[in-house]
């Protein structure tokens, strides 16, 4: 649903970007995925240990990372001026809560498969939430959330556009397609809140750089920790899969590089990313019909 709302002939927000923006409104969906060790193999994505453990690392990020995003937005709900921004902010909170809950379910599978994940999760939480969240201001945490959402939209776009998820096992495929489609849907929610409450360019970029420094290094560190537990760190196939994932097939490095410099542009807005059709295609599929709330 797209809408541009006016009041008394004037748009409701003094920010020129928000004034001219066509808003995409979205619901909160409530899926109930059912995972089990018996139906999920160790390397559930394309038979590749490397690709699977990149995704598994993100699964370890998401529950507490999504709750951080929720906290960073909730602090500003009382002062958001534009009701359209507020509407999408509340939907964002609902979607992120669902993501946290569904991904947390998969932790048990990893532990049942013998992976030791708690040490990495505790390190990630200590760095991000016991240190960075404590020392950063509310607006800095909000700008870090907006920057992180740029990356979650990016990886969602890569996953859906390259169809790498088509090679995942069924229930994991549904989980990641649903999550990816919603990341694309709400890609601008945190960014719009930042615009509404007066976040300037330098604050936006500082938060983005903080998100970059945390997200990408810990992604690859987490994957290597899981590969080490598999005993596959130095296998030729593992390193070839890594090279192909980063530079050849999914081309993650080149997509990241382009996305990084796009975000640095003073006039950047997430809605400039042409990926919404990928999200719509997922939710038109019969296997992605879910109970919805406003």
């Amino acid at each position: 649903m797209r809408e541009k709302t006016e009041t008394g002939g004037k748009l409701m927000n003094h920010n020129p970007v928000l004034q001219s923006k066509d808003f995409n409104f979205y619901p909160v969906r409530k899926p109930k995925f059912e995972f089990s060790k018996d139906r999920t193999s160790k390397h559930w994505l394309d038979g590749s240990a490397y690709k699977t453990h990149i995704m598994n690392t993100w699964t370890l990020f998401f529950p507490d990372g999504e709750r951080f995003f929720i906290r960073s937005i909730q602090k500003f709900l009382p002062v958001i001026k534009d009701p359209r921004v507020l509407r999408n902010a509340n939907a964002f909170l609902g979607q992120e809560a669902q993501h946290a809950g569904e991904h947390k379910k998969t932790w048990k599978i990893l532990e049942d498969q013998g992976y030791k994940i708690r040490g990495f999760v505790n390190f990630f939480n200590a760095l991000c939430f016991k240190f960075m969240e404590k020392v950063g201001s509310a607006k800095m945490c909000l700008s870090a959330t907006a920057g992180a959402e740029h990356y979650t939209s990016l990886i969602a776009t890569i996953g859906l556009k390259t169809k790498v998820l088509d090679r995942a096992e069924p229930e994991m495929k549904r989980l990641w397609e649903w999550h990816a489609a919603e990341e694309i849907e709400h890609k601008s929610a945190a960014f719009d809140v930042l615009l509404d409450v007066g976040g300037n360019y330098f604050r936006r970029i500082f938060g983005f750089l903080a998100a970059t420094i945390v997200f990408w290094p810990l992604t690859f560190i987490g994957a290597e920790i899981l590969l080490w537990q598999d005993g596959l760190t130095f296998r030729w196939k593992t390193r070839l899969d890594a090279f192909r994932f980063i530079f050849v097939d999914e081309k993650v490095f080149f997509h990241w590089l382009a996305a990084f410099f796009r975000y640095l542009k003073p006039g950047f807005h997430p809605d400039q990313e042409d990926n919404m059709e990928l999200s719509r295609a997922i939710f038109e599929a019969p296997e992605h019909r879910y109970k919805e709330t406003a």
Side-chain angles (χ1 to χ4, degrees):
M1 183 191 307
R2 299 179 71 82
E3 181 176 315
K4 191 188 288 183
T5 306
E6 298 189 13
T7 302
K10 294 183 179 179
L11 288 166
M12 296 173 292
N13 197 294
H14 296 298
N15 184 285
V17 175
L18 294 175
Q19 282 183 346
S20 61
K21 172 181 163 73
D22 288 332
F23 277 76
N24 174 62
F25 296 147
Y26 37 83
V28 177
R29 300 174 186 85
K30 297 196 172 182
K32 293 182 179 179
F33 298 109
E34 296 181 2
F35 307 104
S36 73
K37 175 185 173 184
D38 295 336
R39 290 187 295 169
T40 306
S41 63
K42 275 194 165 187
H43 305 145
W44 52 262
L45 179 57
D46 201 17
S48 167
Y50 190 83
K51 292 178 184 179
T52 298
H53 287 326
I54 288 288
M55 305 293 272
N56 284 339
T57 300
W58 290 335
T59 277
L60 299 179
F61 288 171
F62 287 146
D64 295 299
E66 306 282 25
R67 294 185 189 105
F68 165 73
F69 297 164
I70 289 170
R71 292 193 300 274
S72 73
I73 297 285
Q74 280 178 327
K75 293 174 184 176
F76 292 95
L77 293 181
V79 298
I80 293 174
K81 298 178 286 295
D82 192 320
R84 302 165 302 172
V85 174
L86 180 61
R87 191 269 179 212
N88 276 355
N90 279 310
F92 172 88
L93 301 184
Q95 289 190 345
E96 296 293 57
Q98 294 299 313
H99 298 170
E102 295 301 320
H103 278 278
K104 188 68 177 282
K105 292 179 184 178
T106 67
W107 287 19
K108 186 176 186 308
I109 297 174
L110 289 169
E111 290 181 317
D112 286 347
Q113 290 172 337
Y115 293 108
K116 295 176 173 60
I117 61 175
R118 298 292 171 170
F120 177 74
V121 169
N122 291 340
F123 172 77
F124 171 73
N125 289 347
L127 174 63
C128 294
F129 314 128
K130 292 182 181 178
F131 174 66
M132 295 180 71
E133 186 177 7
K134 298 297 183 185
V135 303
S137 67
K139 280 190 178 178
M140 192 55 60
C141 290
L142 177 60
S143 70
T145 294
E149 285 294 306
H150 181 56
Y151 286 139
T152 56
S153 176
L154 170 68
I155 62 178
T157 302
I158 295 170
L160 296 180
K161 188 172 283 188
T162 65
K163 298 190 181 297
V164 64
L165 295 175
D166 288 354
R167 301 187 291 278
E169 293 174 2
E171 199 67 353
M172 299 302 279
K173 177 177 183 288
R174 286 185 65 231
L175 168 71
W176 283 95
E177 285 182 340
W178 159 74
H179 191 165
E182 289 198 341
E183 289 300 326
I184 290 171
E185 253 184 349
H186 68 225
K187 61 188 176 183
S188 65
F191 196 98
D192 286 345
V193 172
L194 187 62
L195 289 177
D196 187 282
V197 302
N200 60 38
Y201 173 78
F202 294 102
R203 181 176 284 118
R204 168 165 75 86
I205 296 305
F206 192 83
F208 175 60
L209 294 177
T212 302
I213 290 168
V214 170
F215 183 80
W216 291 107
L218 288 185
T219 289
F220 295 111
I221 290 170
E224 293 298 334
I225 290 171
L226 295 173
L227 286 165
W228 180 265
Q229 293 181 48
D230 274 340
L232 298 176
T233 301
F234 301 111
R235 295 284 181 88
W236 167 249
K237 183 181 185 306
T238 302
R239 305 295 22 131
L240 179 62
D241 279 355
F243 181 82
R244 294 190 66 87
F245 177 75
I246 296 169
F247 298 109
V248 180
D249 296 332
E250 286 73 32
K251 300 178 182 175
V252 170
F253 172 77
F254 301 108
H255 288 299
W256 165 77
L257 194 64
F260 180 84
F261 284 107
R262 284 198 302 274
Y263 200 90
L264 296 183
K265 294 179 180 177
F268 173 80
H269 188 277
D271 285 352
Q272 295 165 2
E273 309 280 81
D274 184 19
N275 55 5
M276 198 60 72
E277 285 303 318
L278 295 169
S279 176
R280 295 192 186 104
I282 292 298
F283 291 125
E284 288 171 0
E287 65 269 27
H288 288 292
R289 302 292 166 81
Y290 306 107
K291 179 181 177 182
E292 296 183 357
T293 60

